[in-house]
Amino acid sequence: MRIHIDKRQAAAMKHPEPIVVDGTSFALNGRNFSYRFHVDDASGDLISDHFGGPLPVTASISGPRPRNGGWSTGGRLRREFPDLGRGDFRTPAYRVRRTGPPGGSTVTALKYRSHEVVAGKKPALEGLPCTFAAEGEAATLVVRLVDETSRIAAELTYTVFPEHDAMAKSVKIVNEGDEEVVVEKLTSLSVDLPHRDYDMIGLRGEWSRECSKTRRAVDYGSQGFGSTTGYSSHFHNPFLALAPPTTTESHGEAWGFSLIYSGSFRAEVEKNPQGLVRTQIGLHDAQLSWPLAPSASLTSPECVAVYSHTDGVGGMSRRLHRLYRRHLVRSPWGGKPRPVLLNSWEGVYFDFDGESIVDMAAATAALGVKLFVMDDGWFGGKYPRTSDRAGLGDWTPNPARFPDGLKSVVNRVTALPVAGSDGGGTEKLKFGIWVEPEMVSPRSELFEAHPDWALQADGYPLTETRYQLVLNLALSAVQDHIIDTMTALLESAPISYVKWDNNRGIHETSSPAVFHAYMLGLYRVLGTLTARFPDVLWEGCASGGGRFDAGMLPYFPQSWASDNTCPVDRVAIQFGTTTAYPASAVGAHVAKVPNETTHRVTSLAFRAHVAMMGGSFGFELDPRAGDGGDIPAADRAQIPALIKLAEKVNPIVVNGDMWKLNLPEESNHPAVLFLSEDGVEGVLFAYQMLGETVHCQPTSTTILQAHEYYALNQAIDAFTSGPKRLIHWQMQRLGRKLTHAIPTLQARCLHSRLASDRGAETSRSVAEADSPLEPIWWRAVEKTLLSTLVLLRCAGRRRQEAACGLNRLIDV
């Protein structure tokens, strides 16, 4: 491919129109990217021209043409919506099977029919979550195709978000014929990139180790991943990125593709024999087979594609973060600081009643926590939920545990004053509750009344997992039942928060189409409930991060990232999750020690510093004092100050841009900086994961020394867990990097709070500290897990520069 740009064209690139149409050539433009395609006059096919750096709309692009001879007659073409059966032997973007005479054919030839530039607000997708935009924030192009033989039509919808270097795409297949057809495959986006070496980046995992970032070279042939669990799953996240091998977190090009969908999906990358690379993501073809009657249609989920021109994988992530915070999350809570919460689950599991809940809530309020959440175990009449073996589906309070009803307990909880609140004791504790409405226990009144509501395949036994079955949300009666029961629950008491859980995958169904129909039903349920109760803070969960995806963000502004609350593992989980999703969406809690999953013992400060990286900070333990509680006296004394720190940090984490300075998969010292969008405030998190015994630490110029951008003893706080010298060593280690990475900030260290893993605590001025220029030798007796949290504030004279962002972030 060759691109010709002259000086006049280069000057016109500064502020291109989002969508420019020249006949049947289409240019979609962001501030730092261009996406180009055109209609081939001879064939009527859509041909891709460019997806990458910005181009003037008048730039001349020439690409390879089909060559005679050989088998791959279409192998050198970059196709916008490829099919199978006309000489392109690569994976198709869609496949439709005709059922009428002669029957069974999957050959289609979609040709250009028309196009339309849609003015005003971005159109919504019927029945599916999608991005939104007010007039002037985005522009939308619809290209219509038709196969005159089969009477199958398609609409390709592109929306450009220029400020975010992002494009959202979806596809609608329409049956304009007289016979039923079956859609067997439908991708949301298919992109052909030119010959080049690429790495494929994804997020894989399992329960308790979600979103491990993986990176591997794209080789010849097909490679990819997906989910057939019925949900996006712990195994692979519906996110894919491509980058040249030289691209780092902070340098180089990167393309990101994020599917706004919560069901089974497939992502595939294919490098063909000529070296072209085709990238696709969409519905999983093994669980589709969607019948289309005459005049019926099927719309794919929306896929967001972002491009990072020069600032690497981190730039790609920040573009997704900003786009999702502004144009996908619909909750009023999206940009608000989240209340510090305490969840009862790991503290008491199923062992509680109304009185013990009030006792736990009182202890919660005494710590300064703002929201108490009662987890699993509160419901069920005939089949009480005293373990995981019964009760799901019967969403009424257990009369034995709540003899005066749920409202009486909730009223007592919400009358409790929160200690240390800004309202001088007038702020009251809020109440939240756990539900799992998509599931049903065989031992439940709901299943007894409606056994046909459980997903099943005729003639095959129902498979139980965790003693539960999955309700068939493809049925409108099931959807209505869930809406009605959840509405009754939320209207029965002053409930401010809902944790919506889902603890198993889908096994047998009556047809492959049920998988997608289920998701459409779930989206109807969630859309109805979140619109009906907009002030409720909704949090998603699926055995941890089993459904942490963009499809949940319009309904749940935050989701539980993992059932693994061990901070050592959570560092990698949270770094991985934020490759695609904003930190504002991450739920992270401080749990008791030893940790329930890993049995590690870590300091309270380290656990808290890791949890503060998430948008929703909280605790997962029994707060009551005495032998039955989970908080030692020394830790209890620290919690009010940690809560105040979390509340100070949270607005920056929720709304700020995330700069990863060191990655946990590459460094023993992962570090991340959150910087407010105006560049005025920041918070730095830095960790040491393993100790290096009898080893000299770096002694280069320290950040604590005054120079052009950094000064001492004025406005900024630093908080550290670990040996008392950590603050100096951590600052020293990051000093040169921050000097280059944050030229816009004048960091000032006022005071450090130092705590060892043994619980001893001291406070003193940084200026009084030992000289950081001396070699520091770590002894084997010192603990290994260390954390530093530093609050940064830009000096007034630097604010204008700060608003430009961190444009000189270096590799670290």
Side-chain angles (χ1 to χ4, degrees):
M1 181 185 69
R2 293 184 298 276
I3 302 173
H4 307 283
I5 304 175
D6 59 31
K7 292 182 179 180
R8 177 184 56 80
Q9 293 169 335
M13 291 170 58
K14 292 183 179 180
H15 299 288
E17 290 295 322
I19 295 176
V20 178
V21 180
D22 181 10
T24 55
S25 293
F26 306 95
L28 285 64
N29 304 300
R31 294 292 178 262
N32 299 286
F33 93 100
S34 292
Y35 187 94
R36 301 279 295 272
F37 63 97
H38 72 276
V39 178
D40 180 70
D41 293 334
S43 66
D45 290 343
L46 295 184
I47 304 300
S48 300
D49 297 316
H50 175 76
F51 181 23
L55 294 178
V57 296
T58 56
S60 173
I61 302 177
S62 59
R65 304 297 300 168
R67 300 180 64 181
N68 295 326
W71 288 7
S72 299
T73 57
R76 297 181 72 236
L77 284 177
R78 295 171 59 186
R79 304 184 65 202
E80 187 67 17
F81 194 53
D83 55 16
L84 186 64
R86 296 192 296 134
D88 185 348
F89 299 110
R90 293 165 289 179
T91 183
Y94 70 100
R95 186 173 60 253
V96 180
R97 177 169 53 84
R98 298 159 66 186
T99 58
S105 173
T106 57
V107 175
T108 52
L110 289 172
K111 312 289 186 181
Y112 170 79
R113 172 191 273 176
S114 65
H115 69 270
E116 176 187 7
V117 177
V118 181
K121 295 194 303 182
K122 177 185 180 292
L125 296 185
E126 184 178 357
L128 286 165
C130 63
T131 54
F132 61 89
E135 186 171 358
E137 294 180 329
T140 298
L141 169 71
V142 180
V143 178
R144 298 182 178 89
L145 313 173
V146 67
D147 180 347
E148 296 291 356
T149 301
S150 66
R151 301 305 302 166
I152 295 167
E155 293 183 2
L156 313 184
T157 300
Y158 307 78
T159 296
V160 183
F161 295 86
E163 293 292 337
H164 303 284
D165 292 328
M167 174 187 74
K169 183 183 177 185
S170 64
V171 177
K172 179 194 285 188
I173 301 293
V174 183
N175 181 6
E176 296 183 353
D178 299 326
E179 303 287 342
E180 182 178 270
V181 300
V182 178
V183 181
E184 296 184 335
K185 178 178 181 179
L186 184 59
T187 61
S188 301
L189 180 139
S190 179
V191 173
D192 288 354
L193 295 176
H195 171 53
R196 189 177 181 183
D197 289 334
Y198 298 95
D199 287 347
M200 181 172 67
I201 301 170
L203 303 173
R204 66 167 179 83
E206 239 287 12
W207 175 81
S208 78
R209 51 179 174 85
E210 295 89 339
C211 285
S212 297
K213 191 168 77 172
T214 61
R215 182 167 179 165
R216 53 179 164 141
V218 173
D219 203 351
Y220 286 91
S222 295
Q223 48 250 281
F225 51 84
S227 169
T228 56
T229 67
Y231 309 110
S232 50
S233 86
H234 306 79
F235 308 144
H236 296 283
N237 195 273
F239 161 81
L240 167 70
L242 292 180
T246 55
T247 293
T248 66
E249 175 67 20
S250 55
H251 278 97
E253 287 184 288
W255 293 260
F257 309 96
S258 177
L259 189 66
I260 304 178
Y261 191 61
S262 310
S264 296
F265 74 95
R266 184 195 289 276
E268 188 173 4
V269 178
E270 180 182 11
K271 187 173 185 178
N272 79 338
Q274 286 83 12
L276 298 184
V277 173
R278 175 168 292 174
T279 302
Q280 296 180 345
I281 190 167
L283 299 168
H284 202 298
D285 52 335
Q287 295 176 333
L288 187 56
S289 295
W290 191 271
L292 282 186
S295 301
S297 64
L298 172 66
T299 301
S300 77
E302 192 170 73
C303 176
V304 169
V306 298
Y307 174 70
S308 175
H309 188 33
T310 59
D311 47 1
V313 176
M316 174 206 70
S317 299
R318 287 186 292 278
R319 286 167 173 81
L320 281 171
H321 297 171
R322 280 198 177 193
L323 179 75
Y324 284 169
R325 290 197 305 263
R326 296 179 182 180
H327 298 287
L328 185 61
V329 176
R330 295 178 179 270
S331 168
W333 283 98
K336 292 181 181 179
R338 311 294 162 75
V340 175
L341 66 83
L342 186 143
N343 185 287
S344 68
W345 177 243
E346 288 191 20
V348 294
Y349 295 104
F350 292 102
D351 186 16
F352 63 84
D353 59 18
E355 289 304 315
S356 60
I357 286 294
V358 173
D359 290 343
M360 290 182 67
T364 298
L367 292 171
V369 174
K370 305 300 192 295
L371 168 65
F372 175 79
V373 180
M374 179 175 66
D375 210 278
D376 197 356
W378 59 269
F379 52 91
K382 182 179 178 180
Y383 300 100
R385 182 73 168 177
T386 56
S387 72
D388 59 5
R389 303 195 176 202
L392 285 176
D394 300 341
W395 300 107
T396 54
N398 178 348
R401 293 186 167 184
F402 300 90
D404 297 324
L406 181 63
K407 183 176 182 180
S408 172
V409 170
V410 177
N411 285 342
R412 293 168 65 188
V413 169
T414 55
L416 294 166
V418 174
S421 62
D422 294 336
T426 60
E427 183 177 0
K428 305 300 183 184
L429 188 66
K430 297 184 183 302
F431 182 87
I433 201 165
W434 176 97
V435 294
E436 193 176 1
E438 299 164 68
M439 302 292 155
V440 63
S441 300
R443 295 183 65 240
S444 68
E445 295 180 70
L446 179 63
F447 187 75
E448 285 184 346
H450 300 284
D452 56 316
W453 282 7
L455 282 171
Q456 51 197 282
D458 293 342
Y460 292 90
L462 277 67
T463 306
E464 291 185 32
T465 298
R466 201 176 180 254
Y467 309 104
Q468 63 194 59
L469 303 169
V470 185
L471 288 172
N472 186 358
L473 269 77
L475 302 175
S476 59
V478 173
Q479 300 166 28
D480 292 340
H481 173 77
I482 295 174
I483 292 170
D484 291 343
T485 54
M486 291 298 104
T487 296
L489 172 63
L490 293 177
E491 289 179 344
S492 70
I495 297 171
S496 302
Y497 162 103
V498 172
K499 180 180 178 181
W500 185 293
D501 210 342
N502 183 357
N503 282 304
R504 62 158 290 179
I506 296 175
H507 292 191
E508 55 276 343
T509 64
S510 58
S511 77
V514 170
F515 286 90
H516 182 56
Y518 177 104
M519 292 312 307
L520 295 179
L522 175 61
Y523 289 141
R524 177 189 169 234
V525 168
L526 296 179
T528 301
L529 289 173
T530 54
R532 189 171 291 178
F533 300 98
D535 295 329
V536 169
L537 175 55
W538 299 81
E539 177 168 326
C541 180
S543 299
R547 201 162 62 186
F548 201 118
D549 55 64
M552 288 289 106
L553 281 176
Y555 315 106
F556 303 150
Q558 61 191 53
S559 286
W560 188 228
S562 178
D563 282 347
N564 186 349
T565 53
C566 175
V568 178
D569 294 342
R570 269 294 188 127
V571 168
I573 290 169
Q574 291 169 198
F575 266 75
T577 301
T578 51
T579 304
Y581 307 105
S584 60
V586 175
H589 295 171
V590 176
K592 61 186 177 183
V593 292
N595 183 265
E596 291 286 307
T597 303
T598 65
H599 307 291
R600 289 190 181 103
V601 176
T602 54
S603 71
L604 176 65
F606 186 83
R607 283 175 276 158
H609 289 170
V610 172
M612 287 178 200
M613 289 171 56
S616 177
F617 171 82
F619 297 85
E620 192 93 9
L621 42 73
D622 187 342
R624 292 173 292 186
D627 295 336
D630 295 327
I631 308 176
D635 285 355
R636 183 177 297 276
Q638 300 178 51
I639 287 178
L642 287 170
I643 290 173
K644 290 297 184 185
L645 175 60
E647 291 174 338
K648 184 182 295 186
V649 165
N650 190 250
I652 306 172
V653 172
V654 167
N655 292 304
D657 290 327
M658 189 177 193
W659 300 78
K660 296 173 183 175
L661 306 180
N662 282 344
L663 301 177
E665 64 266 28
E666 298 175 356
S667 173
N668 186 40
H669 306 95
V672 61
L673 171 73
F674 290 91
L675 188 69
S676 61
E677 289 191 5
D678 62 6
V680 172
E681 293 181 300
V683 56
L684 168 71
F685 297 88
Y687 306 96
Q688 174 178 293
M689 308 309 294
L690 293 172
E692 297 173 292
T693 61
V694 196
H695 190 279
C696 187
Q697 298 300 316
T699 58
S700 57
T701 303
T702 172
I703 194 175
L704 296 180
Q705 291 179 319
H707 52 70
E708 181 180 1
Y709 297 125
Y710 299 93
L712 287 177
N713 301 328
Q714 299 219 2
I716 302 303
D717 295 332
F719 304 85
T720 300
S721 72
K724 62 183 181 180
R725 290 185 175 184
L726 171 67
I727 183 68
H728 315 302
W729 171 75
Q730 285 278 25
M731 289 291 197
Q732 180 180 333
R733 178 179 177 83
L734 292 169
R736 287 181 301 170
K737 297 168 185 177
L738 288 173
T739 301
H740 292 279
I742 322 174
T744 61
L745 290 177
Q746 186 172 16
R748 299 170 177 177
C749 295
L750 169 66
H751 187 268
S752 67
R753 188 166 184 80
L754 312 176
S756 76
D757 283 348
R758 294 181 293 277
E761 223 176 321
T762 62
S763 298
R764 61 174 175 166
S765 168
V766 170
E768 299 170 357
D770 298 334
S771 170
L773 299 179
E774 300 175 0
I776 301 175
W777 295 81
W778 295 88
R779 300 187 301 276
V781 298
E782 292 181 325
K783 302 294 183 179
T784 60
L785 293 171
L786 313 170
S787 62
T788 301
L789 188 153
V790 183
L791 295 173
L792 305 168
R793 189 173 301 112
C794 177
R797 64 188 180 87
R798 296 283 181 184
R799 291 194 180 195
Q800 185 173 0
E801 297 175 30
C804 298
L806 303 182
N807 56 8
R808 287 198 288 160
L809 189 68
I810 64 169
D811 285 323
V812 292

